[in-house]
Amino acid sequence: MDIMTSVGLVFGTIILAAIMLMGGDIHMFISEHAVIIVIGGSIAATMIRFPLSAILHGIPLGAKFAFTMSRLSARDLVDELARIAEIARKQGPVGLEKVETDEPFLAKGIRYVADGYDLEFIRDNLERDRDNFLMHLDEGGKIYRAIGDCTPAFGMVGTLIGMVQMFANMTDPSKLGPFMATALLATLYGAVVANLFCLPIADKLHGKLLDEETNRTLIIDGILMIRDSKSPTLVREMLLAYLPEKHRHEEGEPVPA
């Protein structure tokens, strides 16, 4: 679990609920009309912007990766690939058949090497798999950002509709309050949905995309070197280049100035 995403959403929701309760009855902040215009309008605009296949892939994938962490960090992957290279050096490709890992993409690469596929086949398939995954994850980030862009705009639309209704009923004072409340709540809903949920998730997905791109490229290079029978030391040193300088050394090992 990516605990920061969950904590941030819960903390933000608690703050909003507390402020609302401090001002009186929370029911005054509920408006079905505002929900319809903000949520319905944003969904409609998103459907116009993106094809159905992108929405069906992007939204669930984005939600999954916004709340989860990679099973292995880049540093863990370097150590894991060096360990696998050691096994392949001592036992040959057949020895990799018993290797287990928590990273599905790495497991696929290990299986290709164990089955004896040639270098070009492994490179092409893993790179295609990586690119397709990153494309869907990028689509997810774009969809959440698009929704985040739409909701404040439709909140303003709801406000304008409420204002029109309010001014059209100036002769009936009993209707002015509900129409004004709908107008203001539409803006509130749009701002909350965009700035507490959609835009932060879109930014989180962009960071996850960069991490996944690095990790999967690192795995591809490591698997190709293992397939090419490179030594574990060479595999480790080559892959350490993917890491920031401060992460290239074991704990307790001094970092060069």
Side-chain angles (χ1 to χ4, degrees), residues 38 41-43 45-46 49 145-155:
V38 172
S42 299
I43 292 174
T46 303
R49 286 187 179 188
R145 189 169 299 281
I147 297 174
D149 291 339
C150 288
T151 48
F154 277 99

Side-chain angles (χ1 to χ4, degrees), residues 133-148:
F133 171 81
L134 294 178
M135 179 187 69
H136 291 313
L137 189 57
D138 184 49
E139 286 176 344
K142 288 179 179 178
I143 290 170
Y144 280 98
R145 189 169 299 281
I147 297 174

